[in-house]
Each structure stands twice: as C-alpha cells, then as structure tokens.
Amino acid sequence: MGAKVSKDDIIKALLDTAFFHSTGATSLKDIAEKIGIKKASLYNHFESRDDIIKQAMDSCREYVEAIMFTPKDIESVTKKYPPDIVFKGIVNRYFKMHEKTPLFQIYTFLESQKYFVKEASDIIKDENKKVIRQTAQVLKALKANGKISIEGQNIENVAVWFCSGMNELLNLYLLDRKVVVVNNPDSGEGQLFSLPADETALEKIDTYIDSFISIIK
C-alpha cells in the first residue's frame, strides 16, 4: 500500500487507532502500522504528529459541518406526522449515525480532545449550535401546523433545553456503545461498527421525547 497511501488514509488510521487507545497514546508508529507503511513515510504527507492531529481536526470539522440533524423535507414531515413521531424519527436517526464509522471515531476523537485543543471544543460548540437552531426550526414548523402550543418567543429556549437533555443521552449512549465495541475486537472493522443498536437505550430516548412533547403540546 506504501506508494498509494494518502493523507486521508493516514487521518483515518489516526482516528481508528485513537478510538481504541486514546489520541494521547497513539504514536506515529501506531498510525504507520495501521496502514502498513514505515513511520518515516508519514513525513511524505505531514510535518509531524501534531500536524496529523491538526489536519485531522480540519477533516473532522468538514465532516461534522455536513451533517444535518433534520431532514431536508422537514416542512412536509411536520405536516404529515404528530410531534412525537417527528422528534423520534429525527433523534433516532441522529443517534444511529453517530454509532457508525466514521462518525463514531470522529465523535470520540473530538470529545477526547475538547479540553486540550480549542479547535475540537469549537467544532463541538458549533455542532451544538447547529442542532439547537435546527430543533427550533422543527418546533416552529410544528407550531405553524397547529401541532404544539408553545409560545413563539420561547422556542429558542425550549430548543436549548431539549438539546441539552438529548446530548446527555447521546453521550451516555455512545459511551456504552464504545465499551461494547472495544470489548469485541475480534469482530473485525467491517462488523465492529455495525453491531445491533441498543434498543433499550433507544427506548429511553423515546421516553424522553414523550415527556418533552407532553410539556409543549
């Protein structure tokens, strides 16, 4: 693979290795061995280990920014379905996206670096702002269709409240999922991030949404 290795291959190797061993414990040797090249070959693409991490951050930002919390047809969705079905569909999709490769590795990488690297913290903050903004759009669409009675001026605050609880549940969900993945190393990468969803955890999320909807209807 040596001559054909790309920057993206190296970044992916960093994220994959860091998922299991943490970013701090991931060496250039680990990254090189992951893709079957000599450590010195990494310098054909990057100046240093820090440069790999920096460019990995840039790659993560680009990937995360492209993710949409809500579907493009959210206006028609809110007309067709009741509020609980709308939110359950959106949130369950969002959670399941995060437990698949590469978003699972990206999420873990950013979370592990947010206290040490400002860019990681900024990416997470920007993602949270985006999700809050899109949640507010869902609430506004539901209100316009007469499906919730929340006051317009409170929508932004309610979106922040909902997303705060959702993010906490997402953190717990992915923490449990990572334990499952790390404890199943023989599954192979192809299967490793395709383990069955934790339906019990998803039921807890649905219960949270039911409680939320009962308050704003």
Side-chain angles (χ1 to χ4, degrees), residues 20-209:
F20 290 97
H21 305 294
S22 83
T23 305
T26 297
S27 66
L28 290 176
K29 181 174 180 289
D30 294 328
I31 297 170
E33 288 181 350
K34 178 71 178 177
I35 48 181
I37 63 174
K38 294 181 179 180
K39 184 172 75 171
S41 298
L42 297 173
Y43 293 103
N44 293 331
H45 300 279
F46 298 94
E47 295 179 359
S48 62
R49 180 180 179 278
D50 287 345
D51 187 34
I52 298 176
I53 292 176
K54 179 183 181 303
Q55 294 198 45
M57 286 289 176
D58 294 339
S59 178
C60 289
R61 176 181 287 281
E62 183 177 349
Y63 192 93
V64 170
E65 285 180 345
I67 293 171
M68 296 294 289
F69 177 60
T70 56
K72 292 181 179 179
D73 60 343
I74 189 60
E75 295 293 335
S76 62
V77 169
T78 54
K79 289 180 181 178
K80 185 175 181 180
Y81 297 103
D84 58 327
I85 298 301
V86 172
F87 270 96
K88 287 176 183 178
I90 292 170
V91 174
N92 275 267
R93 169 181 165 273
Y94 191 66
F95 274 50
K96 289 177 180 178
M97 276 196 302
H98 276 77
E99 68 174 357
K100 303 297 182 183
T101 185
L103 192 51
F104 203 167
Q105 295 99 317
I106 289 172
Y107 182 93
T108 303
F109 175 66
L110 294 174
E111 285 291 320
S112 70
Q113 292 296 291
K114 68 182 180 182
Y115 295 110
F116 309 101
V117 181
K118 183 178 183 300
E119 186 176 357
S121 175
D122 288 344
I123 294 170
I124 292 171
K125 288 177 181 177
D126 288 344
E127 172 65 6
N128 288 339
K129 289 177 183 177
K130 178 179 70 179
V131 172
I132 290 169
R133 183 171 63 252
Q134 292 182 4
T135 298
Q137 290 172 349
V138 176
L139 292 170
K140 289 175 183 177
L142 287 169
K143 178 177 172 58
N145 289 312
K147 296 187 177 181
I148 58 174
S149 58
I150 182 174
E151 294 296 331
Q153 65 269 26
N154 292 327
I155 284 180
E156 296 294 335
N157 290 334
V158 171
V160 171
W161 167 50
F162 175 79
C163 291
S164 176
M166 184 189 72
N167 284 335
E168 178 64 21
L169 290 171
L170 178 62
N171 289 337
L172 294 173
Y173 180 70
L174 292 181
L175 179 61
D176 288 342
R177 297 301 286 163
K178 182 174 181 182
V179 171
V180 172
V181 171
V182 171
N183 287 336
N184 287 273
D186 296 331
S187 298
E189 186 178 338
Q191 301 176 41
L192 206 55
F193 297 95
S194 300
L195 296 169
D198 184 346
E199 296 300 334
T200 301
L202 293 176
E203 286 174 6
K204 292 179 181 178
I205 296 161
D206 286 348
T207 299
Y208 172 70
I209 292 171

